């Protein structure tokens, strides 16, 4: 991990350390030769190596070396020259070690930054940034990886404009870490190709199944565990028309006016990678929706998030209080509320997509933003009742 600099590059920390060393030297002058308070300042150069720049570390080490030498030479003049030399070289050794440590950390930090930049570029090719404007639809949302320092994890999403309408996938790969990312890459690359070329949503799902099976076969030879992926596929064509196909995924939420409905396709199939267990073909279902309806898709990292008491996140109740928001504002509010609900300790990957027709989203663009604080279920219900009464 890179060292944690102060916002000013460590100058404030260096100033505090120098002041502390001077104060300890002054205390030594007041207490006499019987007590060596300056010895406590030996940690200052090491702290500087961790928190300051290389120049700041050199400054702190130099001040400490001079202060230690002066204390032993001026405060205790009766001490032998040998004792003063020992004190000087001890301080000098600590300073040199601190400067060497600072140099090593600086070089390591530079390597880390380069690696992070490359990894970030690679991960951006896997998952596109949100929001996504796709034809007549606007797809907002957010993605949170539970793996520290990673932009992507085991959850996936994508939206592809095809000759057959806008096609969307959201999914959750079983497991975490690099094996899960590998399976996610296999499914996403297959979806981007199949979603554009295949006429039927069922054929798109079969392509994803085949891609994941090939991925599992290849990696099982190396001893890696096979992975499966729960996924939800949507196909949006004309206003009010669309199809949905579930591969073992959790329900999605359809928002109509101020009402929030939890929906699951009637013939949900097995997760991707497990389709061969039954041999039954996957079937898409027509979505009963209106032209102005909009949807919220998510992974179980959202619905299974817990607060300090162990209660699951009440997504449906929260959405009922936010139906007046634009897609982008709803995504921002939901993410902030989820962080507040879990105390900033979201333990699983979480992905949310807010899908709405562009003209409906534009009508809400000037709507006031919700305050990014948790909204109780009772407050959400009251908000819905007031809106219906109006």
């Amino acid at each position: 991990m890179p060292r944690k600099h102060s916002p000013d590059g460590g100058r404030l920390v260096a100033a505090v350390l120098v002041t502390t060393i001077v104060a300890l030297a002054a205390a030594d002058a007041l207490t006499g030769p019987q007590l060596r308070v300056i010895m406590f300042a030996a940690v200052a150069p090491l702290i500087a190596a961790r928190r300051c720049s290389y120049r700041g570390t050199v400054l702190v080490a130099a001040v400490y070396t001079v202060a230690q030498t002066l204390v032993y030479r001026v405060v205790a003049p009766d001490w032998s020259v040998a004792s003063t030399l020992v004190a000087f070289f001890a301080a000098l050794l600590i300073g040199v070690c601190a400067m060497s440590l600072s140099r090593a950390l600086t070089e390591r930090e530079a390597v880390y930054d380069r690696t992070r930049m490359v990894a970030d570029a690679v991960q951006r090719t896997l998952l596109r940034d949100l929001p996504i404007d796709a034809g007549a639809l606007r797809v907002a949302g957010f993605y949170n990886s539970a793996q520290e320092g990673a932009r992507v994890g085991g959850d996936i999403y994508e939206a592809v404009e095809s000759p057959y309408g806008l096609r969307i996938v959201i999914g959750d790969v079983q497991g975490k870490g690099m094996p899960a990312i590998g399976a996610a890459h296999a499914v996403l690359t297959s979806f981007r190709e199949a979603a554009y070329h295949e006429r039927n949503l069922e054929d798109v799902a079969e392509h994803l199944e085949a891609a994941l099976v090939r991925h599992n076969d290849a990696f099982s030879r190396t001893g890696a565990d096979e992975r499966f992926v729960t996924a939800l596929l949507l196909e949006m064509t004309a206003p009010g028309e669309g199809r949905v196909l579930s591969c073992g995924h959790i329900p999605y939420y359809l928002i109509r006016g101020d009402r929030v409905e939890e929906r699951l396709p009637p013939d949900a199939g097995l997760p991707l990678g497990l389709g061969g267990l039954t041999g039954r073909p996957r079937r898409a279902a027509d979505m009963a929706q209106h032209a102005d309806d909009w949807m919220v898709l998510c992974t179980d990292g959202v619905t299974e998030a817990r607060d300090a008491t162990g209660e699951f996140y009440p997504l449906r109740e929260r959405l009922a209080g936010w139906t007046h928001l634009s897609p982008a504002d709803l995504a921002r509010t939901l993410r902030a509320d989820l962080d507040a609900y879990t105390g900033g300790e979201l333990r699983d990957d979480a992905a949310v997509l807010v899908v709405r027709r562009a003209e409906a989203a534009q009508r809400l663009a000037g709507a006031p933003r919700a305050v990014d604080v948790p909204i109780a279920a009772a407050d959400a219900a009251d908000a819905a009742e007031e809106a219906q009464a109006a």
Side-chain angles (χ1 to χ4, degrees), residues 14 35-36 99 121 133 155 161 180 230 260 273 301 303 313 335 346 350 356 363 371 385:
L35 184 62
R36 295 275 69 82
M99 289 185 291
D133 288 325
D155 287 356
E161 291 184 78
T230 66
V260 179
T303 56
Y313 183 70
R335 181 166 190 171
L346 197 59
R356 193 161 201 173
R363 289 198 299 269
V371 179
E385 292 175 1

Side-chain angles (χ1 to χ4, degrees), residues 64-90:
Y64 169 67
T65 302
V66 172
Q68 171 112 319
T69 304
L70 289 176
V71 165
Y72 274 81
R73 188 61 183 165
V74 177
V75 178
D78 295 335
W79 283 41
S80 66
V81 176
S83 297
T84 304
L85 288 176
V86 169
F88 170 75
F89 283 111

Side-chain angles (χ1 to χ4, degrees), residues 24 33 37 98 220 253 332 364 383:
L24 290 174
V37 181
S220 64
Y253 296 86
R332 282 191 292 267
L364 292 172

Side-chain angles (χ1 to χ4, degrees), residues 193-210:
E193 188 70 17
Y196 185 84
H197 292 288
E198 294 297 333
R199 180 179 297 274
N200 299 317
L201 205 58
E202 292 88 346
D203 294 333
V204 175
E206 290 308 310
H207 269 271
L208 304 188
E209 173 79 21

Side-chain angles (χ1 to χ4, degrees), residues 202 205-206 209 245-247 265-284:
E202 292 88 346
E206 290 308 310
E209 173 79 21
L245 189 152
S246 175
C247 302
D267 191 17
L270 293 175
L272 299 171
L274 303 179
L277 295 179
T278 62
R280 293 175 51 196
R282 294 183 172 89
R283 299 296 183 191

Side-chain angles (χ1 to χ4, degrees), residues 362-373:
Q362 290 171 356
R363 289 198 299 269
L364 292 172
R369 295 184 181 180
V371 179
D372 293 342
V373 295

Side-chain angles (χ1 to χ4, degrees), residues 9-319:
R11 289 189 294 271
L12 178 60
V13 176
V16 171
L17 292 174
V18 168
T19 303
T20 302
I21 294 171
V22 173
L24 290 174
D28 240 334
L30 296 175
T31 56
Q34 292 79 18
L35 184 62
R36 295 275 69 82
V37 181
I38 194 64
M39 295 176 60
F40 292 103
V43 299
L46 301 178
I47 295 174
R50 185 67 179 87
R51 299 297 302 274
C52 304
S53 65
Y54 181 74
R55 289 183 178 180
T57 304
V58 171
L59 174 63
V60 174
V63 171
Y64 169 67
T65 302
V66 172
Q68 171 112 319
T69 304
L70 289 176
V71 165
Y72 274 81
R73 188 61 183 165
V74 177
V75 178
D78 295 335
W79 283 41
S80 66
V81 176
S83 297
T84 304
L85 288 176
V86 169
F88 170 75
F89 283 111
L92 185 62
L93 179 61
I94 293 174
V96 170
C97 290
M99 289 185 291
S100 299
L101 177 60
S102 177
R103 179 68 72 185
L105 289 174
T106 300
E107 294 175 354
R108 181 181 178 186
E109 189 175 49
V111 172
Y112 178 85
D113 287 340
R114 289 195 297 270
T115 304
R116 182 175 56 185
M117 182 176 61
V118 172
D120 189 64
V122 171
Q123 291 176 110
R124 284 179 183 274
T125 64
L126 183 59
L127 288 179
R128 287 199 288 167
D129 289 336
L130 293 166
I132 301 172
D133 288 325
L137 295 175
R138 179 164 297 168
V139 183
F142 66 85
Y143 185 93
N144 181 82
S145 174
Q147 185 173 351
E148 185 178 359
R151 283 175 50 86
V152 298
D155 287 356
I156 59 174
Y157 64 83
E158 184 57 287
V160 174
E161 291 184 78
S162 78
Y164 314 105
L166 175 69
R167 285 170 169 174
I168 300 172
V169 65
I170 188 169
D172 186 355
V173 183
Q174 174 251 339
K176 293 182 176 65
M178 292 305 299
I181 294 177
H185 181 264
V187 173
L188 276 176
T189 52
S190 177
F191 176 79
R192 286 165 178 157
E193 188 70 17
Y196 185 84
H197 292 288
E198 294 297 333
R199 180 179 297 274
N200 299 317
L201 205 58
E202 292 88 346
D203 294 333
V204 175
E206 290 308 310
H207 269 271
L208 304 188
E209 173 79 21
L212 186 57
V213 169
R214 289 194 301 270
H215 173 84
N216 284 334
D217 288 343
F219 279 84
S220 64
R221 300 190 190 102
T222 65
D225 295 333
E226 295 186 356
R227 305 281 166 172
F228 64 83
V229 179
T230 66
L232 187 71
L233 283 73
L234 297 182
E235 181 181 85
M236 312 293 292
T237 52
E241 297 181 8
R243 307 186 75 209
V244 57
L245 189 152
S246 175
C247 302
H249 200 67
I250 63 174
Y252 66 97
Y253 296 86
L254 184 138
I255 300 177
R256 177 173 297 164
D258 294 325
R259 295 198 341 253
V260 179
E261 302 176 11
E262 184 179 281
R263 290 191 173 185
L264 185 68
D267 191 17
L270 293 175
L272 299 171
L274 303 179
L277 295 179
T278 62
R280 293 175 51 196
R282 294 183 172 89
R283 299 296 183 191
D286 293 331
M287 288 189 295
Q289 59 170 336
H290 296 166
D292 287 337
D293 290 349
W294 51 296
M295 287 162 292
V296 175
L297 322 177
C298 67
T299 58
D300 60 11
V302 177
T303 56
E304 295 182 4
R306 298 172 182 261
D307 63 7
T309 65
E311 293 292 327
F312 288 115
Y313 183 70
L315 179 58
R316 182 174 180 177
E317 289 80 2
R318 293 292 205 260
L319 292 176

